[in-house]
Amino acid sequence: TTKHHDGFCMYDSQYTEYRITSPSCPYSNHPNADITRQLFDAFRKHGFWIGVYYSKADWHHNDYWCTEYPRTAREVNYHPEDHPEKWLRYTRFVHNQIKELLTKYGPVDILWLDGEWVRSPQENIQMESLATLARNAQPDILIVDRHVGSAYENYRTPEQTVPDHPPDYPWETCMTMGEQWSYKPNDRYKSTREIIHLLIDITAKGGNLLLNIGPDARGRFDKQARKRLEEIGQWMDINAPAIYPTKPIAPYKVDNLCVSQKDNQTYVFYLAGANEKSLPSTLRVRFIAQATAVRLLGRDSMIPYQFEKGSLVLSIPQRCRVSPPCRSAWVFEITDATLSI
């Protein structure tokens, strides 16, 4: 990561520090000067997809926030229809930057465009030709045009919220782990339980979770954020089959139970209460009418069950209650389930 002062401070993957403060030694001569390439290569090395975030509004560009006019809002500070040549220059600038990002750095999986107010008719960025440019450069790319709902995007991104009901389009909740998108000292981070419950709720409704963590000036996560990630990873080590690659199925969520499905397996998530450390001795799942086997993820033995008045009733063994496989939420894998809504 980088930070600005009189020059630049650059930290590589081994946290070796390079200080370049003299104008006679421009940072562009540094072997790691292309930070975009450094980031992309680092993430690809670990098997990550590459997503490009790009803000359609650039407040540092004189053809967007023009120095001749006051800057009173985040929108362009002049009327593009009154200065078509200026707006055309800005539009070309945006298109050229997108072209550079999508042609110089290898495969890119997502183009994530922010700044929903930059749209037709007020701020016409020529989205049709921009999307065509992106897809010609990267045929398999997914495009997000935030909150616009245009014909050129592949999925939508509700922010800091989870829909009450499954939307009829692909979606991804954008949620901060803390209260801020950027790093804030002493930020209040959501508990591991809150984050896992968010992930389950979103999965049950057919969405993805984008979980944001703001790094500090040295590019490092707060120790609380790291702890949350470690605990989420421990939970996922046990319960990932109920998350990837499942599909939503009605009734999605009933009280503290959520459901997902994959092939002939139905997964029922039991969301633990704030002070709930172990499973109950009996669990009634009213929306499952038939099944051939039940297993608690993280335990090899099968869970005894019976049907009462069209509901699946699980008898949780004491060994599972005394020593549950994880915290925050427990998942039952139910084979050949018939759901009743």
Side-chain angles (χ1 to χ4, degrees):
T1 186
T2 60
K3 75 173 182 180
H4 294 267
H5 44 68
D6 293 336
F8 289 87
C9 220
M10 179 71 189
Y11 299 92
D12 67 10
S13 58
Q14 286 75 42
Y15 300 105
T16 303
E17 183 176 2
Y18 302 94
R19 294 191 180 274
I20 301 175
T21 57
S22 170
S24 63
C25 184
Y27 183 72
S28 60
N29 293 338
H30 193 279
N32 292 336
D34 191 340
I35 295 174
T36 301
R37 186 172 302 282
Q38 296 298 316
L39 286 171
F40 285 9
D41 288 350
F43 278 92
R44 284 198 189 98
K45 180 180 177 181
H46 293 280
F48 281 88
W49 281 23
I50 301 300
V52 169
Y53 171 102
Y54 187 91
S55 175
K56 293 181 289 184
D58 188 333
W59 298 290
H60 297 280
H61 198 289
N62 192 50
D63 287 328
Y64 193 81
W65 266 10
C66 186
T67 55
E68 297 98 297
Y69 304 105
R71 305 167 186 180
T72 58
R74 61 185 182 178
E75 289 80 13
V76 63
N77 68 338
Y78 61 90
H79 296 294
E81 64 272 19
D82 295 336
H83 302 276
E85 72 294 337
K86 181 179 285 291
W87 184 252
L88 180 60
R89 275 200 310 268
Y90 182 70
T91 299
R92 287 173 176 167
F93 165 77
V94 170
H95 285 227
N96 286 336
Q97 284 213 313
I98 296 296
K99 181 179 180 180
E100 180 178 343
L101 287 165
L102 300 186
T103 58
K104 285 184 57 178
Y105 297 98
V108 174
D109 302 285
I110 299 172
L111 174 60
W112 210 86
L113 300 173
D114 211 346
E116 67 273 14
W117 60 91
V118 184
R119 65 167 91 175
S120 182
Q122 296 90 351
E123 299 186 26
N124 184 359
I125 205 71
Q126 298 180 18
M127 189 61 202
E128 181 177 2
S129 61
L130 184 59
T132 299
L133 180 159
R135 298 195 191 285
N136 285 341
Q138 302 279 347
D140 296 325
I141 200 166
L142 298 174
I143 297 178
V144 171
D145 194 11
R146 296 208 70 206
H147 304 306
V148 175
S150 71
Y152 314 109
E153 66 178 355
N154 294 104
Y155 64 94
R156 302 184 192 178
T157 55
E159 184 170 320
Q160 301 286 46
T161 186
V162 179
D164 293 331
H165 305 285
D168 59 358
Y169 48 79
W171 62 282
E172 174 181 82
T173 282
C174 305
M175 186 76 66
T176 53
M177 183 183 280
E179 295 179 340
Q180 302 271 332
W181 289 100
S182 57
Y183 175 77
K184 181 180 77 172
N186 303 313
D187 201 357
R188 189 202 76 83
Y189 290 94
K190 296 176 179 63
S191 69
T192 302
R193 174 180 165 274
E194 286 180 87
I195 298 167
I196 289 173
H197 286 197
L198 277 169
L199 173 63
I200 293 170
D201 188 17
I202 290 166
T203 298
K205 294 171 182 173
N208 289 328
L209 170 60
L210 182 158
L211 184 64
N212 172 83
I213 308 168
D216 66 15
R218 293 172 65 92
R220 299 175 181 176
F221 291 156
D222 184 273
K223 62 181 180 180
Q224 290 188 66
R226 294 199 303 271
K227 185 172 186 292
R228 301 290 191 273
L229 290 174
E230 290 170 358
E231 292 171 344
I232 294 167
Q234 292 164 4
W235 187 89
M236 288 293 291
D237 285 343
I238 294 169
N239 300 293
I243 302 294
Y244 304 122
T246 58
K247 64 180 182 180
I249 185 167
Y252 314 111
K253 184 177 183 181
V254 178
D255 299 325
N256 68 330
L257 298 180
C258 291
V259 60
S260 68
Q261 195 171 71
K262 176 171 58 184
D263 300 325
N264 69 326
Q265 303 291 358
T266 297
Y267 298 95
V268 173
F269 301 82
Y270 181 97
L271 307 182
N275 299 311
E276 198 169 9
K277 306 300 182 185
S278 61
L279 282 153
S281 58
T282 302
L283 178 62
R284 182 179 293 271
V285 185
R286 301 183 184 278
F287 50 83
I288 293 185
Q290 292 182 22
T292 60
V294 179
R295 182 173 71 95
L296 177 65
L297 293 188
R299 293 288 180 266
D300 293 331
S301 56
M302 307 308 286
I303 301 295
Y305 66 93
Q306 60 183 339
F307 290 95
E308 293 180 0
K309 299 180 181 180
S311 296
L312 175 66
V313 180
L314 308 180
S315 299
I316 315 298
Q318 183 178 11
R319 63 184 179 279
C320 295
R321 303 199 309 271
V322 172
S323 180
C326 56
R327 300 180 179 181
S328 303
W330 300 285
V331 184
F332 295 93
E333 182 183 71
I334 303 171
T335 303
D336 300 325
T338 299
L339 280 77
S340 58
I341 305 172

